[in-house]
Amino acid sequence: MLDPKIIRSDADLIAKALRKKKFELDVARLAELDCQRKVLQTDTEALQNERNQRSKSIGKAKAAGEDVSEILQSMEGIKSELDTKKEQLNLLQKELGDYLLTVPNVPSESVPEGADESDNKEIARWGTPKTFDFAVKDHAELGEALEQGLDFEAATKITGSRFAVMTGRTAQLHRALIQFMLDTHTLKHGYTEVNVPYLVNAESLMGTGQLPKFEADLFKLRGDQEYYLIPTAEVPVTNLVRDQIVDADLLPLKFVCHSPCFRSEAGSYGKDTKGMIRQHQFEKVELVQAVRPQDSDSALEELTSNAETILQLLELPYRKVILCGGDTSFSAAKTYDLEVWLPSQDCYREISSCSSFADFQARRMQARWRNPETGKPELLHTINGSGLAVGRTLVAILENGQLEDGSIQIPKVLQSYMNGIELLV
């Protein structure tokens, strides 16, 4: 959530910045609500002062032996009017708060202009896409042909479309990827591994910005408790600092978490509805940092580099892009996407999004740190990203490692996790 004080002080400037995200801030509505708020606050304070003055008059009158019935009667009217004003003020503040929850984060000045993903800017490439002297197959065809591979038909029978069953060596490779990513981030990059619930409450989703805007993309459970399946480990992990004041000596906080992710994504995505590119259930290794505001930019660069390390160790060609304003997510101030090369599509596809949220999530969560220079609590900055999406990494290994006979070369760095196996057959 944006700081209401900043919006009030310079709504036109905020509105101009938000246009980079293709969002029109309703400046007139905000001005009207703020004007009404000021009037109601003034009226409420005046009535409270009047009530206090008459309370003092009652004491003096009683001490003088005077009749106080008229004063008491007038106070009943003041109390009734004060209650009405308070209720109006609460409703107005709720309306203002509800609107502000729909306002996206202001993009960083370094975010380029643009309408959609076609306007994202490439920053760098790593690795050279492999050339094949045979007709390449996509991951779905490769996986289904393996002796122990992918079974989409079984998943459809068990559950429905956009799910997959992995068997034998392929399931082992999926598990090996998770362990390899966790080991790299904890042992080499200094993250603390956490294991969190896969169900969260609405307050947690509100804190990281999924609610109220993206409720249609979530799986909500039925029952007495209002629980949602997590769309990403970002939600429960970032909320570890909700309603906390973190000691400065503990910063930065760096967490890594493996979890399943559940997304409704009701829209149609053409060929992405087949295979493992876009599923209702998938797994990720998520990186989350909570840092001092002055360390926010460098933390985003570090976290993105940590995710890149995984791709480099797996020897998977990729490129790094900065998202334009129109493609930057609701809560993010700045985002880098890492896109891995997929031979079957002859293009790069997203495998990780690494974002800085500045204090947008922290304000919603009241996640703070105590600045030793002032002794006062200040809002943290939060950063997160995939390190990496496990299913898409498996897809990239299947496609980039395919041989003409349909077997798959396992990256060297994973072979120790696979008991020395070098090929999927």
Side-chain angles (χ1 to χ4, degrees), residues 51-258:
R51 183 186 60 183
N52 292 339
Q53 290 298 322
R54 298 204 181 193
S55 293
K56 292 178 181 179
S57 298
I58 290 175
K60 292 180 179 179
K62 284 184 176 180
E66 298 175 2
D67 182 13
V68 297
S69 58
E70 187 175 336
I71 301 176
L72 288 172
Q73 187 176 359
S74 69
M75 285 192 67
E76 285 297 321
I78 292 174
K79 180 181 181 302
S80 177
E81 188 177 358
L82 180 60
D83 289 343
T84 299
K85 294 291 184 181
K86 282 183 176 180
E87 184 179 358
Q88 290 174 344
L89 182 59
N90 288 335
L91 289 172
L92 187 69
Q93 288 175 329
K94 183 180 185 305
E95 182 181 353
L96 180 60
D98 287 347
Y99 177 71
L100 291 177
L101 285 174
T102 70
V103 177
N105 198 1
V106 172
S108 166
E109 291 183 3
S110 60
V111 171
E113 295 282 353
D116 53 38
E117 63 180 14
S118 64
D119 295 316
N120 295 339
K121 304 299 182 183
E122 181 177 306
I123 295 173
R125 293 192 183 196
W126 186 93
T128 303
K130 182 180 177 181
T131 57
F132 297 85
D133 55 6
F134 57 88
V136 298
K137 299 175 181 177
D138 70 19
H139 72 280
E141 186 177 0
L142 289 164
E144 288 179 317
L146 292 171
E147 183 179 341
Q148 299 176 334
L150 300 174
D151 191 339
F152 298 105
E153 185 177 339
T156 300
K157 177 182 69 175
I158 295 167
T159 308
S161 62
R162 298 203 208 175
F163 293 90
V165 170
M166 288 174 274
T167 61
R169 298 300 188 198
T170 300
Q172 184 182 357
L173 178 57
H174 187 268
R175 174 164 51 88
L177 279 167
I178 296 165
Q179 190 63 57
F180 160 67
M181 292 177 191
L182 289 172
D183 285 350
T184 301
H185 293 311
T186 55
L187 300 177
K188 294 184 178 181
H189 298 152
Y191 289 82
T192 298
E193 183 177 354
V194 292
N195 188 293
V196 294
Y198 304 154
L199 302 178
V200 292
N201 53 36
E203 189 175 4
S204 294
L205 289 157
M206 193 81 71
T208 46
Q210 280 78 16
L211 287 179
K213 184 174 177 62
F214 301 106
E215 183 158 15
D217 294 333
L218 302 170
F219 284 108
K220 185 176 182 179
L221 275 62
R222 295 179 180 178
D224 295 335
Q225 301 291 330
E226 188 180 56
Y227 289 142
Y228 295 81
L229 291 170
I230 60 171
T232 165
E234 167 199 342
V235 178
V237 177
T238 308
N239 272 275
L240 290 173
V241 293
R242 188 176 81 205
D243 296 324
Q244 299 288 323
I245 300 177
V246 180
D247 190 273
D249 293 337
L250 298 177
L251 297 174
L253 295 176
K254 297 170 63 174
F255 300 116
V256 60
C257 180
H258 159 251

Side-chain angles (χ1 to χ4, degrees), residues 358-377:
D359 61 8
F360 188 81
Q361 292 180 328
R363 180 169 284 103
R364 286 171 170 244
M365 297 185 299
Q366 282 302 289
R368 295 166 290 170
W369 68 296
R370 192 173 298 281
N371 189 333
E373 295 183 3
T374 63
K376 296 180 180 180

